[in-house]
Amino acid sequence: MDAHFWWYVTRASAMIAWGLMTLSVLWGILLSTRILRHVDNPAWLQDLHRYFGGSAIVMVALHMVSLMLDGWLSMTLPEVLIPFVSEYRAVPVALGVIAFYLLVTVQLTSLMMARMPRRAWKAIHYTTYATLILVSFHAGLSGTDVGSTWYQVASIGLITVTVSAVLLRILAGSKSRATAGTTPRTDAPRTTAILSPTPTRTPELVGASTTSMLAVARSLPPLPVAPPRPIERREMVVSEVRREAEGVISVRLLPLGGGTLLAWYPGAHITLHLPTGLQRQYSLCGDPADRGHYDIAVLRTADSAGGSRWIHENLRAGMTLVVDGPLNHFELESANQYLFIAGGIGITPLKAMIESLPAQRSWRLAYFGRSRTTMPFVTELLTRYPGQVGVFASDECETHEVLQRILLGAQHEVYCCGPASLMDAVARVVPRERLHLERFIPVVREAQTAPHSVRITALRSEREVEVAAGENVLAALEAEGLPVTGSCRKGVCGSCEVRVLSGTPEHLDSVMDDTDKDDLGVMYPCVSHSRSTELVLDL
């Protein structure tokens, strides 16, 4: 045993703890900015983020113990735990002690995340940045190896990674609201859309007239925006049509000529272009890891406008269809526990979510329907996931009472899809911050602003569009040949999304929460309009 053994342990544990804290912050930023959104649905990346933070605490604790065991310092327990008590460099040591308590607070609140208000948890979590700053000063002012080359290289590297990560967070998070005013919220809960980052608004454009906006735009460099998200349109061949339940068929689509499809993630939907000219959206319900085909399920509705009826009566293996997508406004977010609530055909996006989760993830599915004969995939789900799936049919039990019992005291992230009556019942009980809904039928919303004309500036195209009072915004943009697409035209699918650079949109869609749309700086012009007399769009 070397006489300086604990001195070596003190140095090593301190550097490892600093590195783990840096990795934890970096990983958290990568997750929060959604840069890794294409791979974090299984949630193991979130677990890795927590692992870094927890391991950092273990290393800090070892560092503190070794300080007391080191024969040279021989620090006492009060010196290690109480700020400004240490005889050795009191202020730098105090910074390290304070950083330790902040680190423990962040870790404890992470474990209690499901039981805390979201705002409070985020406020505490942001102290992680302060912790790293304190640790950097603590290491630089109290370390015994400050002058050595290896220490300087390591510390400069860790500080550089930290600064780069924070800058990334600031740049990716600079999504200003379209206005400073308050926009009414829909009754839809928070959802997360897979979107390209919203462009930073150029200050010179806010509040300027349309003519001056175009003049300024010509003199400025291109806006720092990401390219539009990929929306694939391709011909696909029907390889299989199978009856899944009473009034429900499943359809498997293969890319015509072979090849690999775009990656898709649980909650995504595609748009089918039917030979009748109709366009219909259907959630993908297969395995997201299989990019060789798309699987959908189609319910024949009694009040069908022709889409589901045509598919049930005419679609056969070997036929080809034009398919758009996938798009996703019902994304699965990382969480410790999930409660999935499906009603009838609403099982389709939730089935894909369940299949994407790792085996150790905690989840439950409550599946409601009129009868088991009308509920697609019910036998498959019960067979594959015994003990995690509950099936509740109206002809077997009182489903309303069952739903209330399931929701009572639940602290899970709740994902619900199905009839409006089911989703409304869930929304009355589950707090907004834990609730995620996908609506097949739009919420009826009335405009709060009297009809008026709007002048729209398409900034990239340097064109102006006059939208008359009561005129549909999407139709006006399409009539001018601007690059917008519309599919459902009911404010549900989200395919007509445009970025708002200036002005105040009036959201009348049901794609996501109004506050989220303002945070992202987007609107859906198929049903939405404008509160202001001018809008500037990134078109």
Side-chain angles (χ1 to χ4, degrees):
M1 294 289 287
D2 192 296
H4 299 293
F5 172 78
W6 290 112
W7 180 59
Y8 292 127
V9 173
T10 296
R11 299 158 71 203
S13 58
M15 294 304 295
I16 294 172
W18 191 3
L20 288 170
M21 278 186 271
T22 302
L23 285 175
S24 180
V25 169
L26 174 62
W27 217 246
I29 288 174
L30 292 177
L31 288 168
S32 65
T33 54
R34 310 303 294 156
I35 288 177
L36 298 176
R37 61 181 177 269
H38 296 325
V39 292
D40 69 349
N41 280 330
W44 64 270
L45 296 178
Q46 185 72 28
D47 292 342
L48 193 58
H49 168 57
R50 293 194 183 97
Y51 172 80
F52 286 143
S55 299
I57 290 181
V58 173
M59 287 294 108
V60 172
L62 178 60
H63 174 62
M64 297 168 78
V65 170
S66 61
L67 286 173
M68 293 186 288
L69 297 176
D70 179 23
W72 181 67
L73 282 173
S74 299
M75 296 181 71
T76 64
L77 186 62
E79 289 179 306
V80 170
L81 296 179
I82 302 176
F84 306 106
V85 171
S86 173
E87 295 181 0
Y88 173 78
R89 301 183 183 180
V91 174
V93 171
L95 296 180
V97 175
I98 294 171
F100 170 70
Y101 289 127
L102 288 175
L103 187 64
V104 171
T105 302
V106 170
Q107 190 69 13
L108 290 176
T109 53
S110 294
L111 298 176
M112 299 169 57
M113 178 180 173
R115 298 175 176 84
M116 292 183 61
R118 184 73 174 178
R119 289 181 182 274
W121 174 82
K122 288 184 69 175
I124 295 173
H125 222 66
Y126 279 131
T127 62
T128 305
Y129 300 122
T131 303
L132 269 182
I133 293 173
L134 292 173
V135 166
S136 299
F137 280 104
H138 166 74
L141 297 174
S142 63
T144 57
D145 296 292
V146 173
S148 60
T149 302
W150 74 266
Y151 184 92
Q152 292 175 351
V153 171
S155 59
I156 291 173
L158 291 173
I159 293 172
T160 301
V161 170
T162 302
V163 172
S164 301
V166 172
L167 289 175
L168 172 65
R169 181 68 182 91
I170 293 172
L171 293 174
S174 60
K175 298 188 282 284
S176 305
R177 290 180 182 270
T179 66
T182 301
T183 305
R185 301 169 71 93
T186 70
D187 68 346
R190 171 179 56 86
T191 57
T192 305
I194 298 182
L195 303 171
S196 301
T198 305
T200 304
R201 288 175 178 76
T202 308
E204 292 85 350
L205 299 182
V206 179
S209 67
T210 305
T211 304
S212 63
M213 287 175 184
L214 290 174
V216 172
R218 294 187 184 99
S219 65
L220 292 174
L223 286 170
V225 297
R229 61 187 176 186
I231 300 179
E232 185 179 56
R233 171 172 291 185
R234 65 187 305 165
E235 281 192 288
M236 303 193 72
V237 61
V238 178
S239 69
E240 184 180 359
V241 178
R242 185 172 62 187
R243 182 181 184 275
E244 293 292 345
E246 184 180 318
V248 180
I249 59 173
S250 63
V251 180
R252 174 161 292 185
L253 298 163
L254 302 178
L256 189 64
T260 302
L261 297 167
L262 286 179
W264 64 275
Y265 310 97
H269 66 267
I270 59 174
T271 298
L272 301 187
H273 295 258
L274 304 180
T276 59
L278 295 174
Q279 298 178 32
R280 292 294 182 265
Q281 291 75 40
Y282 297 101
S283 296
L284 294 171
C285 59
D287 184 355
D290 192 338
R291 295 174 58 187
H293 63 266
Y294 291 147
D295 287 336
I296 61 173
V298 181
L299 168 68
R300 179 167 184 166
T301 57
D303 56 349
S304 171
S308 66
R309 184 175 64 247
W310 187 91
I311 290 174
H312 274 256
E313 294 178 356
N314 299 282
L315 198 64
R316 299 290 183 271
M319 297 179 64
T320 59
L321 293 174
V322 175
V323 177
D324 286 351
L327 290 178
N328 198 337
H329 293 92
F330 189 43
E331 185 182 0
L332 181 66
E333 298 181 6
S334 298
N336 284 328
Q337 295 179 312
Y338 297 96
L339 173 58
F340 300 108
I341 301 176
I345 197 63
I347 188 62
T348 50
L350 304 184
K351 179 175 179 288
M353 291 181 178
I354 290 170
E355 292 194 3
S356 73
L357 294 174
Q360 69 273 19
R361 188 64 55 214
S362 175
W363 63 269
R364 290 188 297 144
L365 168 65
Y367 189 5
F368 295 87
R370 290 187 289 110
S371 71
R372 293 180 184 245
T373 60
T374 64
M375 301 165 69
F377 311 116
V378 65
T379 302
E380 175 187 348
L381 291 167
L382 287 171
T383 302
R384 292 180 61 185
Y385 309 107
Q388 292 176 280
V389 177
V391 177
F392 310 101
S394 299
D395 59 0
E396 298 177 2
C397 62
E398 176 49 61
T399 55
H400 178 74
E401 293 181 1
V402 171
L403 177 62
Q404 296 304 310
R405 288 200 303 270
I406 291 172
L407 295 177
L408 185 63
Q411 296 298 320
H412 307 67
E413 287 291 310
V414 178
Y415 287 77
C416 179
C417 186
S421 57
L422 173 66
M423 292 191 290
D424 291 343
V426 173
R428 284 193 292 268
V429 178
V430 180
R432 182 186 299 271
E433 61 270 14
R434 291 194 289 105
L435 181 58
H436 312 258
L437 301 179
E438 182 173 53
R439 295 185 179 273
F440 295 147
I441 300 175
V443 178
V444 177
R445 305 182 65 187
E446 295 185 2
Q448 303 299 310
T449 305
H452 61 90
S453 61
V454 180
R455 177 181 295 175
I456 295 180
T457 300
L459 192 58
R460 286 183 180 272
S461 304
E462 299 187 358
R463 295 170 63 181
E464 298 175 8
V465 180
E466 293 289 340
V467 182
E471 184 180 4
N472 183 274
V473 175
L474 177 60
L477 296 175
E478 289 177 324
E480 291 294 323
L482 290 167
V484 290
T485 59
S487 184
C488 74
R489 299 181 183 269
K490 298 177 181 179
V492 175
C493 73
S495 61
C496 63
E497 177 188 293
V498 293
R499 293 188 179 95
V500 180
L501 304 181
S502 180
T504 311
E506 181 167 31
H507 302 296
L508 302 175
D509 61 275
S510 305
V511 177
M512 69 176 80
D513 188 88
D514 288 355
T515 301
D516 290 338
K517 283 175 288 208
D518 286 339
D519 286 342
L520 292 165
V522 300
M523 69 176 291
Y524 300 93
C526 65
V527 293
S528 298
H529 213 265
S530 177
R531 293 177 177 272
S532 58
T533 57
E534 294 185 352
L535 279 179
V536 180
L537 303 180
D538 182 35
L539 288 173

